[in-house]
Amino acid sequence: MPEALYAAEEMRAAEAGHDVDELMARAGRAVAEETLRRFPDARRFVAVCGGGANGGDGRIAVDVLRSAGRDAVVADDVDGADAILDALFGTGFHGEPREDAVRKIDAINAAGVPVVAVDLPSGVDASTGEVAGACVDATVTVTMHGRKVGLEVAPGRFRAGEVVVADIGLEPAETEHGLVTAEILDRVPRKRPEQNKYTAGSVLVVGGSRGLTGAPCLAAEAAFRADAGYVAVAVPDSTLPVFEQRLLEAVKLPCPEDDGKISPRAIDPIVEFAGKAGAVALGPGLGRGPGPREVVARLLAELEVPVVVDADGLSGLEPFERSSPTVLTPHEGELARLLGEESRWVAAHRLEAAKRGAERFGCVCLLKGADTLIASPHEGVWVCSLGTPALATAGSGDVLTGVVAAFLAKGLEARLAAAAAATACQLASRDVAQAGAVASDVVGLLPFVLD
């Protein structure tokens, strides 16, 4: 199961009944020890402290630093500091900092020296990751007891630097949201001796249009590399030569087309062909317009197998009703259009946006990004953040779609399939060249992360 991610209220519950002074003493010492370990050559430490418990942690850290023979002070003036402790706001903070706090935050960020945030960077909402105003850019964050939602969900995650979890003597607790670990891949079924190519996972990719043949090719190749036994592609008839050349192992279903895009006339043959599939990947390279929208809407209504919808399949998508598992995999812009919002709103409220997407469509919503979020109706959000910037390249979403489809075809529950697929792609991204990587590089490494 995912690692606990604590919201502010969940941390308060975890701390209830414990001696506050003792907890603060442990927290302050943990901050001081990590600061000394990280910056052994620093001579002067300045802690900028607020009036609450977070500020108390910072003051205790200063006392510990002084006991270690270091020049350490609590001050608002950070001039001359070799390292700064940010102890302005803790887990209880939300909204925008007041004017006096903004000045302190701006001074911290302008100092040009390492910053150690106490529990989380001041200005980050611990429960959502939202940053409504000025915010500290930390070099490292020493967070108490467990990771906070705001340290893993953007934009807060981008302000936290490296996160270190300090044990302050609290018992683990269940939380609404969770951080996915690499161990989730142990839940993915591998091929067994008694299986054949169909029972090992059969995937049908529906997509492609004139000029957009690469996307379904990547999805199909990724499904194979994610251990599916059988992959087929349903594509416009005129594009068939491309797929015959590119996809050696996949079966091809040429479809009636209109202006180089799959026509609604292809729905019946696709539904019949999908009767042998364990899952369908719908949308990569499908193209946009009334015809593709009708294809998506009718296939969602008529297919009885699990479906993952991505890319052009999300264009103009309206709420639907399905009894079979369904996963949507939008990026911020696509989810914004589905919710009637601006992309920048989604970027600023990723947790809320993912949850709204899941509720609006009644299915799993995977919001792509450095902090990939997997939301399911009436359940907590899972965060996958094991990847590298190498995934910020054209086609990586098509790769993810193929892996989700393969895992659905193997029988994984939709939320688990989505989270495992995101994890597999992120782990594969660690082993590719970080400069100039392309999506097919990730495809080639999928078997190794699943081995």
Side-chain angles (χ1 to χ4, degrees), residues 297-357:
R298 288 183 55 188
L299 286 179
L300 285 173
E302 298 182 31
L303 289 172
E304 297 181 354
V305 297
V307 176
V308 52
V309 187
D310 184 35
D312 292 334
L314 299 169
S315 177
L317 187 66
E318 295 292 336
F320 50 82
E321 292 186 8
R322 300 190 79 236
S323 57
S324 299
T326 310
V327 179
L328 310 182
T329 60
H331 55 56
E332 287 177 353
E334 290 164 338
L335 184 55
R337 290 189 288 272
L338 293 176
L339 298 178
E341 300 283 0
E342 296 291 331
S343 293
R344 60 186 177 184
W345 181 89
V346 174
H349 305 85
R350 285 179 59 84
L351 192 73
E352 181 183 348
K355 292 165 69 174
R356 278 180 55 185

Side-chain angles (χ1 to χ4, degrees), residues 62-415:
V62 165
D63 291 340
V64 175
L65 289 169
R66 286 173 177 166
S67 298
R70 303 305 175 95
D71 177 8
V73 297
V74 176
D76 294 339
D77 184 358
V78 297
D79 287 346
D82 296 315
I84 299 170
L85 305 186
D86 162 33
L88 273 174
F89 302 132
T91 55
F93 172 83
H94 61 88
E96 295 186 45
R98 294 179 179 174
E99 187 175 343
D100 61 334
V102 170
R103 287 195 296 268
K104 295 174 184 179
I105 290 171
D106 289 344
I108 291 171
N109 289 339
V113 298
V115 178
V116 179
V118 179
D119 220 11
L120 70 163
S122 295
V124 173
D125 188 314
S127 301
T128 65
E130 294 176 9
V131 175
C135 182
V136 167
D137 287 315
T139 308
V140 60
T141 296
V142 181
T143 195
M144 312 310 159
H145 177 56
R147 292 176 181 266
K148 312 304 184 293
V149 176
L151 296 175
E152 297 298 332
V153 176
R157 68 172 283 115
F158 298 126
R159 304 302 186 95
E162 185 176 346
V163 177
V164 176
V165 178
D167 181 2
I168 57 172
L170 300 177
E171 291 297 318
E174 291 188 5
T175 58
E176 179 183 6
H177 308 305
L179 181 66
V180 176
T181 65
E183 285 70 29
I184 195 172
L185 295 183
D186 295 337
R187 305 283 296 277
V188 179
R190 272 57 167 186
K191 291 173 184 169
R192 302 188 304 273
E194 70 273 16
Q195 288 184 314
N196 58 43
K197 60 186 178 183
Y198 299 108
T199 58
S202 174
V203 171
L204 172 62
V205 178
V206 180
S209 57
R210 209 170 295 151
L212 295 173
T213 55
C217 287
L218 284 169
E221 291 168 346
F224 267 129
R225 293 301 188 181
D227 207 33
Y230 182 94
V231 179
V233 293
V235 298
D237 182 74
S238 65
T239 66
L240 191 61
V242 175
F243 293 95
E244 292 285 18
Q245 290 290 322
R246 175 71 182 269
L247 298 176
L248 299 181
E249 297 87 357
V251 174
K252 292 83 177 176
L253 175 65
C255 295
E257 63 181 271
D258 296 320
D259 298 323
K261 302 171 185 176
I262 294 178
S263 167
R265 301 190 307 276
I267 291 171
D268 287 342
I270 290 174
V271 170
E272 180 180 359
F273 196 88
K276 295 182 179 180
V280 171
L282 177 56
L286 188 65
R288 300 184 181 184
R293 282 199 297 272
E294 181 180 349
V295 169
V296 171
R298 288 183 55 188
L299 286 179
L300 285 173
E302 298 182 31
L303 289 172
E304 297 181 354
V305 297
V307 176
V308 52
V309 187
D310 184 35
D312 292 334
L314 299 169
S315 177
L317 187 66
E318 295 292 336
F320 50 82
E321 292 186 8
R322 300 190 79 236
S323 57
S324 299
T326 310
V327 179
L328 310 182
T329 60
H331 55 56
E332 287 177 353
E334 290 164 338
L335 184 55
R337 290 189 288 272
L338 293 176
L339 298 178
E341 300 283 0
E342 296 291 331
S343 293
R344 60 186 177 184
W345 181 89
V346 174
H349 305 85
R350 285 179 59 84
L351 192 73
E352 181 183 348
K355 292 165 69 174
R356 278 180 55 185
E359 297 295 338
R360 173 171 168 75
F361 291 93
C363 65
V364 171
C365 178
L366 183 158
L367 176 56
K368 292 179 283 200
D371 57 326
T372 294
L373 306 183
I374 296 92
S376 188
H378 314 301
E379 294 184 291
V381 174
W382 288 356
V383 183
C384 297
S385 56
L386 296 167
T388 70
L391 290 175
T393 186
S396 61
D398 303 307
V399 174
L400 174 65
T401 296
V403 181
V404 174
F407 291 173
L408 287 171
K410 288 176 174 292
L412 286 184
E413 176 267 331
R415 180 166 68 154

